[in-house]
Amino acid sequence: MPELPEVEALAEFLREHAVGHAVVGVDVTAFQALKTVDPPVTALAGLLVTCVARHGKFLDVDCDGLHFVTHLARGGWLRWRDDLTGAKPVRPGKGPLAVRVRLSPDEDGRAPGFELTEAGTQKRLAVYVVRDPEDVPGIAGLGPDPLAEGFTPDLLKTIVGGSRTQIKGLLRDQKVIAGIGNAYSDEVLHVAKMSPFKIAGTLTDGQVADLHDAIVSTLRDAVGRARGLAAKDLKSEKKSGLRVHGRTGEACEVCGDTIREVSFADSSLQYCPTCQTGGKPLADRRLSRLLK
């Protein structure tokens, strides 16, 4: 699933490549992905792409004040096309293509654009055409952005204070903190040397400060690694930059211990026992607590 660093990189990529082009047309093949009807998607035709922003994991393409907003969900991705001239017409229900956005030609006569695709059978990719990004329910309910200036240790202390939620779940809650998902929550907790099952409200002031530093440094480092890469290269960069997530059975690069996993119904988490849980393996999903 694309998280804050990848979506920020996609936003930067589109700022460089799409801003200044007019929208020629938007072709929707996965009709279940389009979550709004007013304004209609056809209203984007002829409008100029003026800005591209990110709201948590949402990508927002501003077209003369009308916003094309997408959430890529678990299996979605954005694919840039330097030239859509001669591209085959879209066919609803065929293949991973969900949406194609065609842009006006550049100075070389090429007609660029981008496509939203979604792999897998769980179709959760979402597209909205709205007059204000806050009209998107998921954006209206977002918590603070962890890369914003206002995201301070004091704010994080307020967020975790009194919470009986496990810290892993709290970090993933978009209404609490925007943009962090399964992968980067694993990475943040590894950097902070903190168990994913630790109860958020039990963190000391020192642990809150460490967690804040881990959140900001992990995300900024990931954004920095992704900056300047083509959209097609972001997935592989993300995977290569992860230290624990998706690396079950490998050696922790910090201490050398074996990275372990806890599996759930539709996801899993990875962690290092030596770095994060005092050397003790975590219980399975039925217990959700440390083994004695």
Side-chain angles (χ1 to χ4, degrees):
M1 175 185 291
E3 300 178 31
L4 185 156
E6 294 77 48
V7 179
E8 180 62 32
L10 288 173
E12 290 187 3
F13 183 89
L14 289 180
R15 287 183 203 123
E16 180 180 351
H17 292 81
V19 168
H21 287 273
V23 177
V24 173
V26 180
D27 306 316
V28 179
T29 63
F31 296 107
Q32 76 278 0
L34 187 60
K35 306 302 182 182
T36 54
V37 295
D38 181 27
V41 69
T42 53
L44 293 167
L47 301 183
L48 195 69
V49 178
T50 55
C51 183
V52 182
R54 176 188 59 79
H55 313 281
K57 300 178 189 177
F58 289 85
L59 187 65
D60 173 11
V61 181
D62 186 340
C63 305
D64 278 335
L66 207 57
H67 297 260
F68 176 90
V69 178
T70 184
H71 189 288
L72 296 171
R74 174 170 292 186
W77 196 245
L78 184 148
R79 179 172 58 185
W80 177 259
R81 300 285 296 273
D82 288 324
D83 190 3
L84 284 168
T85 303
K88 294 181 179 180
V90 297
R91 299 179 62 188
K94 300 294 183 180
L97 180 62
V99 179
R100 175 183 288 164
V101 177
R102 294 174 283 115
L103 301 175
S104 59
D106 56 24
E107 295 178 353
D108 297 327
R110 298 181 301 177
F114 60 89
E115 297 173 336
L116 302 179
T117 61
E118 185 171 25
T121 58
Q122 294 184 346
K123 301 301 182 182
R124 297 177 180 176
L125 183 145
V127 172
Y128 310 80
V129 180
V130 292
R131 297 177 179 87
D132 187 329
E134 292 290 323
D135 292 338
V136 177
I139 293 179
L142 285 176
D145 191 290
L147 294 186
E149 290 185 7
F151 186 77
T152 63
D154 285 341
L155 177 58
L156 182 59
K157 181 179 178 180
T158 300
I159 290 172
V160 302
S163 173
R164 299 305 301 169
T165 303
Q166 293 173 345
I167 192 63
K168 165 78 174 181
L170 183 140
L171 290 176
R172 293 186 62 187
D173 188 341
Q174 301 303 295
K175 295 181 180 179
V176 177
I177 301 174
I180 302 175
N182 195 32
Y184 286 106
S185 57
D186 282 351
E187 297 299 296
V188 163
L189 292 171
H190 182 249
V191 172
K193 299 185 182 302
M194 189 175 296
S195 168
F197 289 167
K198 187 172 183 63
I199 301 301
T202 66
L203 267 62
T204 65
D205 288 351
Q207 289 172 325
V208 170
D210 289 343
L211 180 61
H212 177 272
D213 182 69
I215 291 171
V216 174
S217 63
T218 298
L219 295 178
R220 283 182 176 169
D221 287 349
V223 169
R225 291 193 305 270
R227 181 167 286 123
L229 293 179
K232 63 182 178 64
D233 298 324
L234 289 173
K235 285 185 180 181
S236 59
E237 191 289 323
K238 175 182 179 179
K239 185 176 181 179
S240 67
L242 298 175
R243 306 197 309 177
V244 290
H245 184 79
R247 298 193 178 278
T248 303
E250 299 181 23
C252 171
E253 65 179 46
V254 174
C255 70
D257 195 0
T258 301
I259 295 170
R260 299 195 181 215
E261 176 177 306
V262 177
S263 297
F264 302 92
D266 60 351
S267 65
S268 63
L269 65 83
Q270 287 80 41
Y271 70 99
C272 170
T274 294
C275 290
Q276 297 175 250
T277 60
K280 297 179 181 179
L282 292 172
D284 63 26
R285 62 183 181 273
R286 293 168 296 175
L287 299 178
S288 294
R289 57 192 172 100
L290 292 176
L291 287 174
K292 300 297 185 181

